[in-house]
Amino acid sequence: MEPMGQDQPSPGTVTAAHCPWCSAELPGAPSASCPTCGATLVEPDASVPGVNALDAEAISRSARLMAPIRRSRLLSWITGEDDSEDEAPAPPGSLAPPPPDVRREMARLELQAEYANLQAEAESIVSQAEAEARAASRRAEAARAAGAEPPAEPEPAEAEPSPEPAADDAGSPTKPD
């Protein structure tokens, strides 16, 4: 009984060989390469280390040169294995503040960046105001074209000082007489 889904060749038929790379049908005579795609069909007799054979010398060389795997400091602390003697202390002065000329340059760059940000923000505010003005003028033109009265535009609110009672020198408000 033959398995389902698989075609079994009948005993009297001969199947043609196919290229494993391009699946083209190969001619009856054995050849070293596929005539369609040019893929190599026959493995070379000589072994080429690193390509079709292991290079024992390279394996032993890498095993000798391989450094031990460093554990994380947290894991070393938990397990009690201390390898801190491998770490060199920081050289003196490495954590000192930068010299005055470097600090001056850092401050200059910071001010320059802040100025650029403020300038971009000001340009954004101006362009937004211009866009709002154009939109308001378009609405007014559309209202005039329709024959209706243009919508009242909101006037900018100006801060007016609120009347406060005058205070005397003692800091208490004055009382009316």
Side-chain angles (χ1 to χ4, degrees), residues 22-165:
C22 68
S23 299
E25 193 170 322
L26 297 175
S31 63
S33 63
C34 173
T36 307
C37 67
T40 303
L41 300 175
V42 180
E43 291 187 25
D45 291 336
S47 65
V48 179
V51 176
N52 61 0
L54 295 176
D55 188 4
E57 183 181 326
I59 294 171
S60 65
R61 184 174 46 242
S62 68
R64 279 184 270 131
L65 298 177
M66 183 187 274
I69 299 172
R70 282 193 68 189
R71 300 181 99 178
S72 71
R73 292 173 66 186
L74 178 63
L75 189 57
S76 296
W77 180 75
I78 291 171
T79 60
E81 298 172 6
D82 187 21
D83 58 351
S84 61
E85 63 273 0
D86 295 341
E87 298 176 15
S94 63
L95 300 177
D101 57 334
V102 172
R103 281 189 264 162
R104 203 170 22 254
E105 181 67 15
M106 289 168 56
R108 185 189 68 77
L109 291 173
E110 185 178 348
L111 286 174
Q112 187 178 9
E114 187 175 337
Y115 176 76
N117 285 341
L118 289 174
Q119 190 174 17
E121 185 177 342
E123 290 173 2
S124 171
I125 291 170
V126 168
S127 66
Q128 185 176 7
E130 289 173 353
E132 288 174 0
R134 282 192 300 268
S137 68
R138 283 189 208 127
R139 282 194 301 265
E141 286 178 18
R144 271 188 246 122
E149 193 171 305
E153 294 184 24
E155 294 185 21
E158 295 184 21
E160 295 181 18
S162 61
E164 294 183 13

